[in-house]
Amino acid sequence: MSTFDNPFDPDRNLRAGCACGQHRSALEHEQAESALRCEPIESEDKRYEGVVASAVMRAMFPQDMARRAFLKSVGASTALAALSQFFPLQTATEVFAQGGAPEKKDLKVGFIPITCATPIIMAAPLGFYSKHGLNVEVVKTAGWAVVRDKTINKEYDAAHMLAPMPLAISLGLGSNAIPFAVPAIENINGQGITLAMKHKDKRDPKSWKGLKFAIPFDYSMHNYLLRYYLAEHGIDPDTDVQLRSVPPPEMVANLRADNIDGFLAPDNICQRAIYDGVGFMHILSKEIWDGHPCCSFAASREFITTAPNSFAALTRAIVDATAYASKAENRKQIAEAIAPANYINAPVTVLEQVLTGTYADGLGGVKTDPKRVDFDPFPWQSFAVWMLTQMKRWGQIKGDVDYKAIAEQVYLATDTKKLMTEMGLSPPASAYKSFAVMGKTFDPAKPEDYLAGFKIRKAS
Amino acid sequence: MNSSLRLRAGLVSIVLLAAFLGVWHLATRSTAPVTTMSPEYAKLMGLTATQGKSAMPGPLDVGAKLWDHLKRPFYDNGPNDKGLGIQLGYSIARVGAGYLLAVLVAIPLGFLIGMSPLLSKALDPFIQVLKPISPLAWMPLALYTIKDSSISAIFVIFICSIWPMLLNTVFGVASVRREWINVARTLEVGTVRRAFTVILPAAAPTILTGMRISIGIAWLVIVAAEMLVGGTGIGYFVWNEWNNLSITNVIIAILLIGVVGMLLDQILARFTRMVTFPE
């Protein structure tokens, strides 16, 4: 059951029945939580109307009993008609959907042309930004360091960043320490390990000693996942193999030129290598950790405090777009919308294979995995804690780390939860969840114990 | 005699071009399909993999694509996709801005240094250290301090085009023939008038040679700078097409960069001829 029940259903309890106050009972809350995080209602306007109508009904009939009696006696449609007559539901819905007037309407959002940025990009051609009263220009950017610098320089109001980057920037790793925040995760899964064709028979990672791998950036999930994967197979990523930071488009060219043996890269790059016949898909990143975050939508704290309404509208647009992208039936349309030169600039076939999950594996087979890439905006703070453990594991941060404080400062789960609730989506009750990476369970409450459990790590 | 030489040179040029295009065409022909694959799989793969098409485009592909671009050079599909004419316009505007600033600084400063042996000696070590720095090495510093990528690009152009102009101006001013200056002095010509009526015309050919070297360097650097900062310009176009692994478009961009660079150089060469005088 979603939270968007009919408010005129006499049996529905509009008062809190569970932890988040959105469900009739705790059981229903659990169900909603375990279901898709953000199930969009058939029409967004309907959804807002539902939320507003609920509020109005609640105000008119504070007693559930009285409301039920009223609805039972007159019927839902009459009640709706009666309500609309003396309360401008339509106007209230519009006001609600817009939130406060944005302080700044013309915004610039930077992105890197990979499928992880799908919600940020598609929100422009599919009109999600304008729906939330913003005029957003999405600007393609040359690399992660440039995105970082341009966002710090305020050329961009917000940007597409790798999920660990806002943590790194806030901590002052690889740049000045500037407080950044993540109101939404872009995508989960959607990466892969691609190997050069000549390693067709070398599928066991234990035999990968001496190979050269490319990753997009030091502070990336790609780096941490590849290191994790290698270490689990007994390969020390610092001494046994070479890891190079290479901009994604150059990965395919380098693979063709035989400069690298493989890469863990964001998608459309993996699929592009296959499309061009230079590599094959060894595994999807989802096989390492199903549901791992990859990229995030980030903004500086300064922007959030100086233009809170713009920020809220922007987050709404992103959450909205992410919800839209999470639906399998929309994926084809999205692939076509983001393929032109103005956005990702890649062949539609490649993007379709990534987004729909029916793809050529490079070895002559066609595979199907609808969850190859998925979209879920909720910024789990446990994700941040996991990334911090890996940063520490590989020597990017030294000394004691206050995992929880940093995670909560950067990953704005509370604000996102509030926004999602306002939008009529069902956010999870807690910002921490436990998950398993290659079968090893991660408990966000005990990061140090988790860290101590790794045999291979950088000696510090 | 002269015209027949020109004719023969032209002929050799055409033969060389034809030979080059021929070799290029032969080298990039598609080979037969390497392996057989199921049609369902083949549909998901690119032409390189299915038909053994060379990853390098042939001259015909490039020609067709070039025609496409030339047909509509000024289209604008949003912030990340603009026609080649617009991109070149952005690049030329950036080069123009940085270059003009450099002219405004380098020529007066060069005059000053060239006319004063003291300044010349005092500033020499600084110039010698700053001159050989690769302009792109300034990029991170510029981005960090100026905090604006398009102004940073202009700054990089400025800093790379200033040195040849400055040194040539200094050299040209310092090596004006003594007799001319002495004649001016005997006629009691004031310093300012001397600078404009005697030294400037005498040093002009050297100064313009410096400006010609500078514009060449500036055009070389803008492409690299735009690849770094992105946004607009021909350098960004190269990067964007590289992102899509579209070698065809990259080749077209290379061709156009060459043509524009040649035009800029020719303009300066014409100016140089205008101020050159027989001794």
Side-chain angles (χ1 to χ4, degrees):
Chain A
M1 285 293 283
S2 82
T3 42
F4 323 113
D5 307 311
N6 180 1
F8 299 99
D9 171 5
D11 289 332
R12 186 179 160 209
N13 188 343
L14 290 176
R15 274 293 153 96
C18 68
C20 70
Q22 293 289 310
H23 304 92
R24 261 179 287 198
S25 65
L27 181 72
E28 204 170 276
H29 170 93
E30 299 256 302
Q31 279 173 342
E33 198 196 306
S34 58
L36 245 188
R37 285 301 150 225
C38 43
E39 205 157 11
I41 256 257
E42 67 278 25
S43 126
E44 307 293 319
D45 291 341
K46 269 254 167 63
R47 192 173 74 203
Y48 293 133
E49 206 177 293
V51 175
V52 174
S54 288
V56 174
M57 285 302 279
R58 203 155 48 215
M60 286 181 57
F61 301 97
Q63 305 291 329
D64 266 324
M65 289 294 284
R67 181 181 57 87
R68 280 185 197 158
F70 170 70
L71 284 170
K72 273 213 172 105
S73 60
V74 301
S77 53
T78 323
L80 178 60
L83 201 60
S84 322
Q85 248 176 13
F86 58 88
F87 189 88
L89 258 187
Q90 206 60 41
T91 322
T93 308
E94 271 163 32
V95 169
F96 172 79
Q98 280 159 11
E103 295 83 0
K104 195 175 164 197
K105 272 195 162 174
D106 300 305
L107 302 175
K108 273 194 173 174
V109 174
F111 74 93
I112 300 281
I114 48 179
T115 41
C116 303
T118 301
I120 294 179
I121 303 170
M122 60 171 258
L126 299 181
F128 284 91
Y129 292 125
S130 47
K131 198 175 90 187
H132 291 271
L134 297 172
N135 179 18
V136 174
E137 199 175 286
V138 287
V139 186
K140 202 187 301 198
T141 314
W144 297 110
V146 184
V147 161
R148 179 193 65 202
D149 293 346
K150 283 193 166 183
T151 319
I152 291 178
N153 291 347
K154 302 192 193 85
E155 274 182 62
Y156 296 154
D157 299 290
H160 163 212
M161 287 189 184
L162 291 158
M165 278 172 68
L167 292 168
I169 298 173
S170 301
L171 288 170
L173 305 175
S175 71
N176 284 357
I178 292 162
F180 260 67
V182 174
I185 291 288
E186 287 300 301
N187 63 313
I188 54 175
N189 301 340
Q191 324 298 308
I193 298 183
T194 307
L195 294 180
M197 285 315 269
K198 65 174 181 187
H199 295 307
K200 231 187 320 205
D201 305 314
K202 222 171 169 181
R203 299 294 292 271
D204 184 5
K206 291 192 180 69
S207 62
W208 287 0
K209 258 190 193 187
L211 296 194
K212 281 183 229 132
F213 289 98
I215 47 166
F217 199 62
D218 284 342
Y219 303 101
S220 67
M221 282 304 293
H222 311 85
N223 187 17
Y224 306 142
L225 286 175
L226 182 60
R227 282 167 176 270
Y228 194 105
Y229 180 75
L230 291 170
E232 287 298 296
H233 287 94
I235 303 271
D236 186 332
D238 280 315
T239 55
D240 295 339
V241 294
Q242 227 187 79
L243 296 186
R244 289 187 193 166
S245 224
V246 176
E250 287 170 31
M251 287 179 177
V252 179
N254 273 308
L255 198 65
R256 191 199 297 279
D258 215 7
N259 283 337
I260 50 174
D261 296 288
F263 50 73
L264 199 158
D267 240 324
N268 87 315
I269 302 299
C270 294
Q271 198 58 46
R272 187 60 198 260
I274 297 168
Y275 180 81
D276 282 348
V278 294
F280 69 93
M281 187 68 85
H282 171 63
I283 54 165
L284 294 175
S285 63
K286 137 180 210 295
E287 294 167 54
I288 301 175
W289 166 6
D290 191 6
H292 72 80
C294 170
C295 290
S296 65
F297 180 70
S300 68
R301 278 267 169 198
E302 196 187 331
F303 174 67
I304 300 174
T305 42
T306 51
N309 289 345
S310 298
F311 174 72
L314 204 52
T315 309
R316 272 198 202 102
I318 295 289
V319 169
D320 235 6
T322 313
Y324 187 79
S326 72
K327 289 205 147 189
E329 66 268 27
N330 297 333
R331 298 276 178 88
K332 266 203 169 171
Q333 181 206 358
I334 294 171
E336 268 158 43
I338 64 177
N342 195 22
Y343 302 111
I344 289 193
N345 196 17
V348 181
T349 341
V350 171
L351 295 184
E352 249 185 48
Q353 291 182 60
V354 173
L355 290 173
T356 60
T358 300
Y359 63 96
D361 64 357
L363 296 169
V366 177
K367 288 192 177 162
T368 301
D369 188 342
K371 293 274 172 213
R372 171 176 178 170
V373 59
D374 206 352
F375 301 93
D376 178 351
F378 194 73
W380 291 95
Q381 284 161 351
S382 44
F383 286 170
V385 175
W386 187 86
M387 289 173 218
L388 290 167
T389 63
Q390 299 303 306
M391 286 182 182
K392 191 166 176 192
R393 179 180 181 188
W394 304 115
Q396 290 180 336
I397 35 178
K398 299 199 167 65
D400 288 331
V401 181
D402 190 347
Y403 297 96
K404 220 173 151 202
I406 300 168
E408 279 166 21
Q409 193 206 334
V410 179
Y411 276 51
L412 302 181
T414 326
D415 301 57
T416 310
K417 194 190 279 183
K418 202 169 132 240
L419 265 179
M420 285 173 78
T421 315
E422 278 172 19
M423 291 171 72
L425 296 164
S426 45
S430 153
Y432 289 91
K433 68 169 174 183
S434 157
F435 43 78
V437 184
M438 291 181 80
K440 196 166 172 169
T441 312
F442 170 67
D443 179 358
K446 294 178 191 140
E448 282 297 336
D449 295 356
Y450 179 71
L451 197 50
F454 293 115
K455 245 187 267 151
I456 297 182
R457 54 185 291 185
K458 196 161 198 157
S460 51
Chain B
M1 196 61 206
N2 200 3
S3 73
S4 99
L5 177 70
R6 218 181 270 168
L7 194 71
R8 277 184 293 155
L11 265 176
V12 174
S13 292
I14 290 172
V15 169
L16 280 176
L17 180 69
F20 170 70
L21 289 178
V23 171
W24 180 11
H25 179 71
L26 290 177
T28 54
R29 266 183 322 170
S30 4
T31 48
V34 203
T35 45
T36 48
M37 40 182 99
S38 70
E40 181 194 8
Y41 181 75
K43 214 169 67 192
L44 299 175
M45 299 291 285
L47 291 176
T48 324
T50 48
Q51 292 171 19
K53 191 169 159 37
S54 165
M56 194 72 189
L60 294 176
D61 300 330
V62 174
K65 195 85 195 164
L66 180 63
W67 179 239
D68 264 1
H69 280 297
L70 291 181
K71 265 195 304 196
R72 40 181 217 131
F74 298 110
Y75 72 88
D76 187 348
N77 286 346
N80 306 312
D81 182 21
K82 295 181 201 297
L84 269 173
I86 298 184
Q87 304 285 27
L88 281 171
Y90 272 110
S91 296
I92 292 171
R94 278 197 191 113
V95 166
Y99 183 76
L100 278 182
L101 280 176
V103 169
L104 290 181
V105 173
I107 291 178
L109 195 64
F111 251 83
L112 221 61
I113 300 174
M115 285 167 77
S116 147
L118 172 74
L119 269 180
S120 174
K121 281 232 156 45
L123 289 177
D124 191 56
F126 296 104
I127 296 175
Q128 294 305 332
V129 169
L130 290 172
K131 188 182 64 163
I133 297 173
S134 160
L136 288 179
W138 292 100
M139 199 55 156
L141 200 65
L143 271 176
Y144 188 80
T145 47
I146 302 176
K147 294 197 187 301
D148 183 294
S149 53
S150 53
I151 299 182
S152 301
I154 291 174
F155 169 78
V156 167
I157 295 302
F158 166 78
I159 203 86
C160 78
S161 42
I162 198 166
W163 308 118
M165 270 192 262
L166 184 65
L167 288 176
N168 268 43
T169 311
V170 171
F171 176 75
V173 169
S175 53
V176 174
R177 283 177 39 195
R178 284 282 105 192
E179 304 91 84
W180 298 352
I181 296 181
N182 286 341
V183 169
R185 228 179 239 151
T186 358
L187 295 173
E188 295 191 336
V189 178
T191 323
V192 177
R193 202 168 157 213
R194 191 172 73 213
F196 278 98
T197 53
V198 181
I199 302 178
L200 184 62
T206 331
I207 295 174
L208 270 156
T209 311
M211 289 173 71
R212 191 174 161 191
I213 300 171
S214 283
I215 196 87
I217 295 177
W219 187 247
L220 287 182
V221 168
I222 192 68
V223 175
E226 283 170 345
M227 283 180 90
L228 274 183
V229 297
T232 47
I234 192 73
Y236 166 77
F237 178 84
V238 171
W239 175 82
N240 192 23
E241 292 307 331
W242 172 225
N243 230 330
N244 187 20
L245 297 169
S246 167
I247 307 294
T248 319
N249 277 328
V250 172
I251 292 175
I252 288 169
I254 290 174
L255 200 68
L256 284 177
I257 292 169
V259 170
V260 172
M262 185 186 76
L263 287 178
L264 289 176
D265 187 65
Q266 288 304 310
I267 293 170
L268 264 295
R270 175 145 297 182
F271 280 137
T272 314
R273 276 200 293 280
M274 274 161 63
V275 297
T276 311
F277 53 87
E279 288 230 12

